[in-house]
Amino acid sequence: MLRRFFAVRQRTEEMLMQKKISKIPFKGTPEQEARLKAVIAECQGDQSRLMHVMQQAQGIYGYLPYEVQVMIAEGMGVPLEKVYGVATFYAQFALSPKGKYNVSVCLGTACYVKGSQDVLDKICAGLGVEAGECSADGNFSVEECRCIGACGLAPVFTINGEVYGKVTADDVPGILAKYQNA
Ligand code: FES
């Protein structure tokens, strides 16, 4: 039983480590670029400030698309792989924009053993959006998350913070319809 618990947890954590570069076209503005360049100029020559620059960049763009990672790497004089490595290691960094409605599915152990992967698959199929991505129209994004502290309601997902608990894959279309028709 204990072995199964750790196997499930390891699989969940491996899945959560996978962050994908967004396929949504980059739409940064000249103003955003100017703000990022100003932050980089302040920190240039001090690689210990890479995290700070990345945090500021996420504040400016809302996420860290490939193009922004390249600007940071070139500006800070560090390999692009290093910027990507930091962006994927820390949960605070997002590689994909958030949609108007952000669907967050818990893949923590309690939810996972109660079928949250099926719920996630149904959500992705219903919205035509992969986990970790945002729809082309910007309406929906889907992400995987760790335990949100509502294990008694497992499996759980949230939409813009509203909690849906004890859900099955069959419940998903009806819940999504409320937002698709909003
Ligand atoms: S594991 Fe999903 S809420 Fe705790």
Side-chain angles (χ1 to χ4, degrees):
M1 182 66 187
L2 205 56
R3 189 180 296 173
R4 176 169 153 71
F5 172 83
F6 284 114
V8 168
R9 192 170 80 174
Q10 185 179 0
R11 171 171 155 60
T12 303
E13 297 203 337
E14 280 169 6
M15 287 165 51
L16 289 168
M17 291 294 290
Q18 294 168 359
K19 282 195 205 171
K20 291 171 253 168
I21 292 277
S22 177
K23 294 181 211 143
I24 301 291
F26 178 55
K27 293 188 195 137
T29 64
E31 289 74 23
Q32 287 172 315
E33 186 171 335
R35 286 172 62 197
L36 176 57
K37 283 189 169 158
V39 173
I40 291 172
E42 269 174 32
C43 303
Q44 236 160 7
D46 183 356
Q47 294 189 359
S48 71
R49 304 201 71 196
L50 177 62
M51 279 285 279
H52 170 73
V53 172
M54 291 174 69
Q55 285 162 343
Q56 295 299 308
Q58 178 148 296
I60 292 167
Y61 291 93
Y63 71 117
L64 295 176
Y66 172 78
E67 291 80 358
V68 170
Q69 292 183 46
V70 170
M71 275 192 266
I72 294 170
E74 289 177 352
M76 294 296 289
V78 297
L80 179 59
E81 298 75 40
K82 177 158 184 182
V83 176
Y84 177 75
V86 173
T88 50
F89 184 78
Y90 292 100
Q92 64 178 286
F93 295 120
L95 300 191
S96 182
K98 295 256 189 291
K100 178 177 166 197
Y101 299 112
N102 185 49
V103 185
S104 185
V105 182
C106 180
L107 292 183
T109 304
C111 287
Y112 189 80
V113 297
K114 291 208 168 170
S116 61
Q117 182 66 56
D118 291 343
V119 171
L120 173 63
D121 292 344
K122 191 84 176 208
I123 290 170
C124 291
L127 296 175
V129 178
E130 287 178 40
E133 262 293 4
C134 180
S135 60
D137 62 8
N139 275 341
F140 287 95
S141 52
V142 180
E143 65 182 11
E144 301 160 353
C145 68
R146 295 167 201 247
C147 180
I148 61 168
C151 306
L153 297 176
V156 168
F157 72 88
T158 62
I159 301 182
N160 287 4
E162 183 158 352
V163 178
Y164 294 92
K166 295 189 189 263
V167 286
T168 67
D170 290 342
D171 298 327
V172 166
I175 295 170
L176 293 182
K178 287 200 290 183
Y179 298 87
Q180 288 168 313
N181 302 327

